[in-house]
């Protein structure tokens, strides 16, 4: 990774306050949160280092493969519950929160909540269509938030993927607003068959650098929800192509490349199996990860959140049973086996859709990122060190 070039860009292109919050609240405190997470795990406790929260199911788009079931009226996580989750995480030494949706900018009072926790850091997963100059200015005043703007293809493919019109232009306009306000800015993409040629390319990354983006987060498309579009799932060779691209581009690109699928040796992993992160939906249900919409536990205004994570039957059995089955994504590789694990744990369907367990049990097997014998290790000394010691170096798989 060209850490020097990326660091120089951050110094030149972001405001001092937002950069300091990023380095301290996200960087230093994030590393410390992982160390505390590992210490808890050795003691048999399993509160995650990073908590992902979807405070609303409101959205202004209808994306292919989206797990969110929009409702009338919409569902919003009560602010008291939102704060209760953050307070519990802070008490455990965790201060990083991924804020998803729906579209999180539609959540009433979002910036009020974020503003009450200046010692924490919030990554805002947004489609960008509602990210105005005024919104970017509000984020700059807060200082402790980074927008992660979703780009699902160039002009034509973005509209197909997101179920809207002019979505790519809106996303890039949002990037421009963030650049004008000197924010630490990211772009995320869920790589699938229809966008891999456009987005897994040096031209795309160079364009992001020119636009003022500082990091890019690549995901593998996971079909789910009411419109799963399974035909978009990547074949084995394209997953390897993505992995190879990420490793190679870390050596040349002037933006940071993020992934959550492979350790330093290139072996597959599942963050939910390691327990490093879990997801809480707008109802307060605790899910292993966003697209697996089943839960045995719900958080309300009276819940002891720290105790809940320790005693959760679903989280405990998922960690044990999936680690014994695969290092990859069980939702893709073995949906029928996942359905069995969920049923055995007594998990409730919290998707808002009828017979989600039956749909999961009947879903086809698809390739995942676990491809034993074809691992591609990290080349960057810095990335290898970071993954081994700060993020994916713990022994979830024995």
């Amino acid at each position: 990774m060209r850490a020097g070039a990326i660091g120089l860009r951050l110094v030149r292109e972001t405001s001092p306050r937002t950069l300091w919050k990023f380095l301290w609240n996200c960087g230093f405190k994030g590393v410390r949160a992982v160390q505390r997470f590992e210490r808890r795990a050795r003691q048999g406790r399993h509160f995650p280092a990073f908590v992902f929260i979807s405070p609303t199911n409101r959205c202004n788009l209808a994306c292919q493969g989206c797990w969110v079931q929009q409702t009338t009226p919409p569902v919003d996580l009560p602010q008291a519950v939102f704060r209760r989750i953050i307070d519990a995480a802070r008490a455990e030494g965790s201060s990083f929160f991924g804020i998803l949706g729906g579209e999180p900018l539609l959540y009433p009072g979002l910036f009020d909540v974020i503003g009450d926790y200046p010692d924490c850091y919030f990554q805002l997963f947004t489609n960008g269509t509602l990210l105005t100059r005024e919104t970017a200015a509000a984020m700059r005043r807060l200082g402790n938030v980074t927008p992660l703007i979703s780009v699902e293809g160039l002009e034509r493919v973005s509209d197909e993927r997101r179920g809207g019109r002019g979505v790519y232009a809106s996303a890039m306009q949002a990037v421009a607003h963030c650049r004008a306000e000197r924010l630490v800015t990211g772009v995320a993409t869920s790589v699938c068959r229809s966008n891999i040629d456009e987005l897994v390319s040096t031209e795309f990354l160079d364009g992001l650098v020119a636009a003022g983006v500082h990091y890019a987060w690549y995901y593998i498309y996971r079909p789910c929800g009411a419109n799963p579009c399974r035909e978009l799932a990547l074949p084995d060779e394209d997953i390897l192509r993505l992995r190879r691209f990420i490793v190679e581009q870390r050596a040349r690109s002037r933006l940071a490349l993020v992934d959550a699928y492979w350790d330093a040796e290139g072996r597959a992993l599942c963050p939910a199996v390691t327990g490093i992160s879990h997801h809480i939906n707008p109802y307060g249900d605790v899910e292993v990860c966003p697209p697996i919409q089943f839960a045995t536990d719900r958080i309300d205004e009276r819940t002891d959140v720290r105790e809940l994570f320790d005693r959760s039957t679903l989280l405990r059995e998922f960690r044990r049973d999936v680690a014994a089955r695969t290092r990859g994504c069980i939702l893709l590789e073995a949906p029928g086996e996942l359905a069995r694990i969920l049923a055995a744990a007594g998990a409730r369907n919290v998707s808002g859709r009828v017979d989600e367990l039956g749909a999961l049990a009947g879903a086809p097997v698809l390739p995942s990122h676990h491809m034993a014998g074809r691992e591609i290790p990290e080349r960057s000394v810095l990335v290898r060190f970071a993954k081994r010691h700060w993020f994916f170096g713990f022994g979830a798989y024995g």
Side-chain angles (χ1 to χ4, degrees), residues 1 244 247-248 251 264 376-384:
M1 179 180 289
R244 189 175 300 109
V247 170
E248 291 173 350
I376 302 173
E378 296 290 347
R379 298 179 185 174
S380 164
V381 174
L382 178 59
V383 174
R384 288 175 69 87

Side-chain angles (χ1 to χ4, degrees), residues 46 272-275 278 314-324:
H46 294 283
V273 170
T274 69
H278 292 299
L314 174 60
L315 301 185
R316 180 179 64 252
E317 295 190 5
F318 184 89
R319 286 192 300 266
R320 181 195 65 207
D321 294 349
V322 176

